[in-house]
């Protein structure tokens, strides 16, 4: 009961348990803003929109000692008569370090914004910025901000 | 000559009893492991509650050899979630992120498109011939947490099975020769 082996084992188990607990309780807050510009729209089968995104974000407070990377993406969310929810990721980025977490970027959508059908004319939608935090070890967590009030043009261009 | 016979009998009986005890301990260890595995399957609602990452398509987030903990709830599938899915005709499940979701109003069925973070294009090339979207029944679970490097044990044992046999042999030997 008092051998070195038993004591080493007990110490190791205790240390690992505490470490695991510490990995689990890390958390943080963020603020960010997002704007959007318009471009063109081409129908060929399904509606498709091409847009220029203007993204400003400060995700620095998400980085802790246990953060490996933050995955951020922008997706519009809208409803159609056939689909109660459509989410289409337009842009994403992997942020590997705190120094890269504060950025401003203006680009065309990385992934095509294609509807299932012809529902995009005059469509109202919310633009969401999501962030997924991947830890070095442990539980992943995610959150988002939603900006409502966006609307696609009423006619094709 | 009678007492020699008695001595031999007593020695035999001790050995048999010890052997049986050890066999039962071994059996208990194996069954406990199985119970824990099945319980995990129940709790997480997933057929495979723990998976090992095999490819680099989700780097730098997940590297080959990392272990992922899965959980499958009835919650709807949403963009950004990392899901593990099976494609018809492929036996190894794939772990990628959901980038597009189209959920039907009436049935609640969902069309999902996935993409590996480190890949250039989406997963349509990985899906079955003519398949454009994943559906709920393809998805085995959501990744909720992970441990780095621990999965290398499984990868090594799968790719070099002789190590698996050596390990099991050594473990068996340890149990049999231990005196408590």
């Amino acid at each position: 009961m008092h051998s070195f082996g038993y004591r080493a084992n007990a110490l190791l188990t205790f240390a690992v348990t505490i470490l695991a607990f510490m990995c689990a309780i890390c958390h943080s807050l963020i603020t960010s803003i997002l704007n959007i510009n318009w471009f063109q729209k081409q129908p060929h089968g399904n509606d498709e929109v091409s847009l220029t995104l203007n993204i400003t974000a400060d995700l620095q407070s998400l980085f802790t000692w246990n953060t490996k990377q933050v995955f951020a993406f922008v997706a519009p969310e809208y409803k159609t008569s056939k689909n109660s929810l459509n989410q289409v990721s337009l842009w994403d980025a992997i942020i590997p370090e705190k120094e890269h977490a504060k950025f401003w970027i203006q680009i065309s959508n990385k992934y095509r914004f294609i509807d299932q059908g012809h529902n995009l004319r005059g469509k109202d939608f919310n633009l969401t910025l999501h962030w997924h935090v991947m830890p070095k070890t442990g539980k992943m967590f995610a959150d988002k901000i939603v900006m409502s009030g966006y609307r696609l043009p009423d006619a094709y261009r | 000559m009678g007492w020699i016979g008695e001595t031999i009998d007593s020695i035999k009986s001790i050995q048999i009893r010890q052997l049986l005890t050890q066999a039962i301990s071994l059996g208990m260890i194996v069954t406990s492991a199985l119970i824990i595995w099945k319980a995990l399957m129940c709790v997480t609602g997933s057929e495979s509650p723990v998976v090992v990452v095999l490819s680099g398509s989700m780097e730098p987030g997940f590297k080959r050899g990392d272990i992922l903990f899965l959980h499958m709830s009835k919650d709807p599938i949403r963009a950004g979630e990392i899901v593990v899915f099976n494609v018809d005709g492929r036996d190894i499940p794939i772990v990628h992120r959901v980038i597009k979701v189209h959920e039907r109003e009436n049935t609640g069925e969902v069309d999902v498109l996935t993409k590996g973070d480190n890949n250039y294009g989406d997963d349509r090339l990985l899906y079955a011939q003519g398949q454009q979207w994943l559906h709920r029944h393809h998805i085995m679970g959501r990744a909720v947490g992970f441990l780095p490097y621990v999965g290398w044990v499984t990868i090594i044992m799968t790719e070099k099975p002789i190590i698996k046999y050596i390990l099991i042999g050594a473990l068996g030997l340890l149990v049999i020769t231990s005196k408590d």
Side-chain angles (χ1 to χ4, degrees):
Chain A
M1 204 56 199
H2 298 292
S3 74
F4 176 73
Y6 273 112
R7 284 172 174 159
N9 184 24
L11 200 65
L12 192 67
T13 315
F14 185 63
V16 169
T17 314
I18 298 285
L19 215 63
F21 182 67
M22 280 169 67
C23 285
I25 60 175
C26 277
H27 195 57
S28 51
L29 303 162
I30 121 140
T31 63
S32 86
I33 326 162
L34 185 75
N35 284 323
I36 184 167
N37 302 328
W38 292 111
F39 214 53
Q40 30 163 268
K41 182 166 179 167
Q42 314 125 349
H44 59 279
N46 292 319
D47 277 358
E48 178 172 353
V49 186
S50 167
L51 5 103
T52 305
L53 297 166
N54 187 332
I55 305 170
T56 315
D58 181 0
L59 301 170
Q60 287 189 321
S61 57
L62 289 174
F63 281 83
T64 69
W65 60 273
N66 193 26
T67 308
K68 181 194 281 194
Q69 71 178 41
V70 171
F71 184 88
F73 70 96
V74 168
E77 287 179 12
Y78 63 96
K79 186 176 154 66
T80 64
S81 54
K82 190 170 80 154
N83 293 332
S84 56
L85 176 68
N86 299 279
Q87 287 178 311
V88 183
S89 172
L90 297 183
W91 169 88
D92 56 36
I94 293 174
I95 306 168
E97 292 160 339
K98 194 170 179 159
E99 289 69 41
H100 299 140
K102 187 170 181 168
F103 58 90
W104 173 86
I105 181 172
Q106 183 166 338
I107 40 145
S108 309
N109 47 314
K110 191 170 169 185
Y111 306 119
R112 297 169 71 182
F113 187 169
I114 301 179
D115 183 35
Q116 288 188 332
H118 298 93
N119 306 294
L120 294 184
R121 272 166 294 182
K123 177 59 67 181
D124 293 310
F125 65 93
N126 292 336
L127 206 57
T128 51
L129 169 69
H130 298 243
W131 54 91
H132 283 246
V133 179
M134 274 155 128
K136 295 198 170 106
T137 303
K139 185 168 158 57
M140 302 186 285
F141 66 93
D143 207 347
K144 63 181 182 185
I145 55 164
V146 178
M147 279 148 300
S148 52
Y150 291 99
R151 188 186 167 88
L152 285 168
D154 291 328
Y156 295 133
R157 319 186 175 159
Chain B
M1 290 313 242
W3 63 266
I4 294 180
E6 280 176 33
T7 322
I8 293 176
D9 282 319
S10 63
I11 290 174
K12 270 198 207 150
S13 70
I14 291 174
Q15 278 182 339
I16 288 175
R17 191 179 295 170
Q18 236 180 16
L19 217 69
L20 278 178
T21 313
Q22 254 120 33
I24 289 177
S25 320
L26 197 62
M28 293 276 280
I29 293 172
V30 170
T31 18
S32 315
L34 205 65
I35 290 173
I36 291 175
W37 182 252
K38 291 290 176 190
L40 259 180
M41 274 172 63
C42 254
V43 162
T44 63
S46 165
E47 266 174 32
S48 180
V50 178
V51 293
V52 176
V53 177
L54 295 176
S55 80
S57 56
M58 285 292 283
E59 285 190 18
F62 298 150
K63 295 197 165 56
R64 191 170 139 86
D66 291 345
I67 283 193
L68 293 179
F69 296 101
L70 306 185
H71 190 271
M72 192 61 191
S73 65
K74 292 249 178 330
D75 292 341
I77 300 177
R78 293 285 173 256
E81 293 176 347
I82 299 174
V83 295
V84 179
F85 59 92
N86 277 312
V87 176
D88 305 323
R90 284 176 188 263
D91 40 31
I92 300 180
I94 303 174
V95 186
H96 282 170
R97 197 184 293 270
V98 173
I99 59 167
K100 291 190 186 174
V101 170
H102 294 280
E103 185 172 279
R104 297 272 174 280
E105 174 83 61
N106 42 7
T107 59
E109 278 165 23
V110 64
D111 286 340
V112 164
L113 181 63
T114 56
K115 175 183 170 292
D117 288 352
N118 205 25
N119 288 346
Y120 181 71
D122 60 40
D123 288 347
R124 288 218 163 99
L125 293 172
L126 293 174
Y127 298 165
Q129 184 83 291
Q131 183 185 0
Q132 299 276 10
W133 303 98
L134 287 180
H135 303 116
R136 185 128 197 153
H137 66 88
H138 291 114
I139 293 174
M140 287 160 50
R142 270 177 269 259
V144 293
F146 92 123
L147 273 181
Y149 311 121
V150 180
W152 272 112
V153 177
T154 310
I155 291 180
I156 291 171
M157 292 211 293
T158 310
E159 293 184 359
K160 295 197 168 32
I162 187 145
I163 294 188
K164 185 168 38 174
Y165 299 131
I166 292 175
L167 218 69
I168 292 183
L171 220 72
L173 218 70
L174 212 71
V175 172
I176 290 171
T177 57
S178 76
K179 287 293 177 191
D180 38 327

